[in-house]
Amino acid sequence: MSTISASTTSTTGYVVTSDTTGTLVLQTGATPTTAVTVASNQQVTFAQPANLPNTFGFKNRIINGGMVIDQRNSGASVTINNTAVYTLDRWYDRCVGGAGSAVMTVQRSTTAPTGFTNSKLTTVTTSKSPAVSEQFWFYQAVEGLNMSDFGMGTASAVTFTLSFWVRASVTGTYSVAFQNSAQNRSYVATYTVNAANTFEYKTLTITGDTTGTWLTDNGVGMYVFFDTGSGSNFNAAAGAWTAGTYYRTSGSVSLIANSGATFYITGVQLEKGSTATSFDYRPYGTELALCQRYLPALNSTSTTDPVALAFTPATTIVRGQFDFKVTPRTPPTGITVSSASHFSWDTGVASGTPSAISFTAASSQSARFALTVTGATAGNAAVISFSSASGQILFTGCEL
Amino acid sequence: MNEPVWKLIALQPMQQIQVVWREWPDGRQESCLVTAEEYLKWLAEGNQPLPAEEQS
């Protein structure tokens, strides 16, 4: 085997021995000891545990960066008219410019670059030249617990890199902004869409902020904003951390000002280091579980899907308990159901359709909710099921 | 669609915090604790909930 040994005595710093086996060995130490062997078939063997940059495991701190999970809307278009709403899992979109005067739709799309199945599509349906104080953007808030190793707000703050695929109908310079939970520290970075309606890969490398307060608990560790046309009050120069709330540079494209404009994005990845690595394709079940930390949810797939075990504390109430499959970030504070008519209850001796469903209470393990019914007998056990394939129950209040 | 008004629900024995409920024209029903952020934001806009119904 051919050997390269780091030398503590040779003036060249290394010693090379060679043969014709096709195997290469790297050695280090005062007494040269094999660290890495590269066999003739290219198999690599490490003598000690590898200490590598975080290029695998949970390297991507963005959840649902591939835009695959959409528990709320299952790909249906959401109209955002003078409000801000959660759309695809973990993504929050704001379009507040006066009722009817600035409207966009957001949905999960199947238009995607090679290697991806989905993207997040924003379409401007009613354009508006934004007022100075208006905000148009979408963000993902990374939980502090998931990026405490970034060292933000300390002298050890790391350099990090954001990468993504974007396809927009309007070419030009766009802005991304990074902010702390209090939104009093901002870093604006820009990227350029060179060709209309063509997926392009973008990377942005940011030096971590050494000042400011950055949470490392279950609050917002960092906001990652994609500006879609905020007003000039939120303009800042690109490329530096600044005190205040800024989303864009003055020269950035205002997507909301372009009627019919489309903006697709996918493959969003936030990772430590100054190099954008390949997208972290996590198993679907893993990605869904990561999302359910922020949105426990049930979507029916048939007209008989079980929902929860229950009991009847009164003739007019069926109370169910749902145990979370994933521990939520914080206990839910409410529920949203598609329609009470999408649910049914059954005690074995009585059954029916509730007229209303309301939240009762929740912990980080379970949630209870009440069905308003008629004809129940107090003191019975019961089951609650979906009675519609369109049934949905969302446990709210866990998102960032 | 116009935002429906929240309605208070009478406190149940196993509840420590009161809940509000509302229904949208499309049948969607929302309910949350009176301490939930979305409800507090609605109150801050000057809105008032409907009172809870008497329990039978």
Side-chain angles (χ1 to χ4, degrees), chain A residues 75-101:
Chain A
S77 176
V78 177
T79 298
I80 309 177
N81 178 358
N82 205 35
T83 188
V85 295
Y86 292 102
T87 55
L88 279 66
D89 278 65
R90 303 281 12 252
W91 294 99
Y92 186 70
D93 291 64
R94 178 185 170 103
C95 180
V96 180
S101 62

Side-chain angles (χ1 to χ4, degrees), chain A residues 92 311 316-317 319 332-340 355-361 368 396-397, chain B residues 9 12-15 17 19 21 23 26-33 35-38 41 55-56:
Chain A
Y92 186 70
F311 68 103
T316 57
I317 298 174
R319 195 177 306 284
T333 55
I335 59 171
T336 299
V337 299
S338 51
S339 169
S355 59
I357 301 178
S358 61
F359 181 76
T360 302
R368 290 183 181 144
T396 57
Chain B
I9 296 178
Q12 300 296 305
M14 60 177 58
Q15 287 179 301
I17 303 172
V19 167
W21 173 94
E23 182 171 24
D26 63 2
R28 189 161 40 100
Q29 296 187 356
E30 290 179 276
S31 53
C32 66
L33 302 175
T35 53
E37 187 178 342
E38 61 192 290
K41 183 181 173 186
Q55 281 194 288
S56 56

Side-chain angles (χ1 to χ4, degrees), chain A residues 24 99 111 117 137 143 166 188 252 278 289 352 365 390 398:
Chain A
L24 177 64
T111 299
T117 56
W137 40 247
E143 185 175 344
V166 62
V188 176
S252 291
S278 61
Q365 305 298 322
S390 303
C398 309

